[in-house]
Amino acid sequence: MVLAVAGGVVIYAYTMGYLGGLGGSNTPGTLSLDAATCNTTHIVAYVRNIGSKVVNVSAAYVNNAPATLYRNQDVRIAVGSVGTVIINGTYTVGATYQVRLVCDDNTRLDFSVKCES
Amino acid sequence: MRLSGECRGVSEVIASLVMLLVVSLLGTTLYAYSQTTLNSLQESFQYSLTLEEERVKEKFRVLAVWWDGSDLLNITILNYGKVDISVDAIYIDNKPATRFLSGRGETVYTLKLVHVKLTSPVAIVEGRGYDIVVVSERGVRCEYLWTP
């Protein structure tokens, strides 16, 4: 009987944790790229939130390397709005960069941008 | 049942009832929590699915661009998809237009046109090519290369 109760408690705790991670506030949002530009010092992306909840862009990666957001500030994008995400860095004219934006709820947006000026 | 010494206990019936109560409570809590979470998850999936479905059905294109010779543009867009659309943003050479005179946010029914009048965010020079991107409210893009 002790074993049955202990087993039940373990399964209960595991299930609760699993279900807690599935839904609710942990479900990622949806982002879409409107347009993006690149110059030698910045990548500017116009990002649309087409999901059902507010997202907060908190990290950026350029060619898989961590990059810094403008003023090190997160970019909050309301539902149905377009946010301007500026990524600092040194970029080469003519090169194409793979960019990944990550929000604090694990929403991601991948795109590439060619540096033109 | 009587126990020897100082040890005291409860009867098998009471113990069984307590166990039953505890298990029932745990089960009920788990069921209620699972129901709520799964419903929330289902709603989230349904929203994503509907949005993606509408995005797939959404089709539009730029038919013509009229330029007044200064910085005023009139872009004619045809909705040839299966759902109504609404133009939300226009980018010229990847720069967002911020001054719209008309057409933005209007519902464009299927097989109907919309004329979006706006002030170009970049200087227009005759003979040069411009990349015009029209974006709908659902985030669907339409790209058009225009040479005045």
Side-chain angles (χ1 to χ4, degrees):
Chain A
M1 192 176 76
V2 173
L3 281 177
V5 172
V9 168
V10 171
I11 291 170
Y12 176 80
Y14 178 78
T15 312
M16 293 292 255
Y18 181 71
L19 288 173
L22 273 180
S25 59
N26 289 330
T27 309
T30 314
L31 293 177
S32 160
L33 181 75
D34 271 16
T37 57
C38 173
N39 62 29
T40 52
T41 56
H42 294 94
I43 290 173
V44 182
Y46 300 98
V47 179
R48 182 178 296 269
N49 180 359
I50 56 171
S52 57
K53 63 177 191 174
V54 177
V55 294
N56 209 35
V57 179
S58 54
Y61 297 85
V62 177
N63 288 348
N64 293 319
T68 51
L69 294 172
Y70 183 64
R71 291 181 180 169
N72 281 318
Q73 283 180 349
D74 293 1
V75 180
R76 183 183 160 88
I77 310 174
V79 175
S81 298
V82 177
T84 305
V85 181
I86 302 173
I87 305 165
N88 295 333
T90 306
Y91 306 106
T92 309
V93 174
T96 299
Y97 295 93
Q98 298 294 326
V99 180
R100 169 172 282 182
L101 301 178
V102 183
C103 301
D104 47 17
D105 65 350
N106 206 28
T107 302
R108 296 175 186 199
L109 176 68
D110 292 309
F111 61 92
S112 61
V113 60
K114 189 176 181 184
C115 197
E116 289 180 340
S117 62
Chain B
M1 186 174 74
R2 294 187 66 82
L3 300 172
S4 61
E6 296 298 319
C7 296
R8 293 174 66 85
V10 291
S11 76
E12 285 175 356
V13 175
I14 299 294
S16 300
L17 284 175
V18 170
M19 282 300 299
L20 194 65
L21 184 70
V22 169
V23 170
S24 302
L25 277 176
L26 286 177
T28 309
T29 311
L30 180 62
Y31 175 76
Y33 184 74
S34 314
Q35 264 319 89
T36 311
T37 310
L38 289 173
N39 280 345
S40 158
L41 190 65
Q42 189 185 10
E43 278 170 19
S44 172
F45 281 155
Q46 190 59 47
Y47 178 86
S48 303
L49 201 67
T50 307
L51 179 72
E52 202 52 48
E53 189 183 337
E54 287 178 341
R55 278 167 60 89
V56 169
K57 285 180 180 173
E58 196 173 281
K59 286 181 173 62
F60 58 93
R61 56 186 270 204
V62 175
L63 288 185
V65 179
W66 175 84
W67 174 48
D68 74 339
S70 60
D71 58 354
L72 188 71
L73 296 175
N74 188 340
I75 301 174
T76 305
I77 298 156
L78 168 70
N79 174 10
Y80 67 101
K82 291 181 177 175
V83 289
D84 302 338
I85 66 157
S86 175
V87 173
D88 189 63
I90 291 182
Y91 298 82
I92 298 175
D93 282 349
N94 290 314
K95 289 191 174 58
T98 52
R99 295 177 63 194
F100 288 86
L101 279 73
S102 67
R104 184 190 179 211
E106 278 180 20
T107 302
V108 189
Y109 301 105
T110 52
L111 299 176
K112 295 288 179 191
L113 298 171
V114 65
H115 305 282
V116 183
K117 289 181 187 169
L118 64 137
T119 304
S120 172
V122 296
I124 306 291
V125 179
E126 198 159 2
R128 208 196 114 189
Y130 293 90
D131 186 32
I132 297 177
V133 176
V134 180
V135 187
S136 73
E137 270 185 350
R138 294 186 188 94
V140 177
R141 287 162 44 100
C142 168
E143 211 160 337
Y144 182 77
L145 190 63
W146 172 63
T147 307

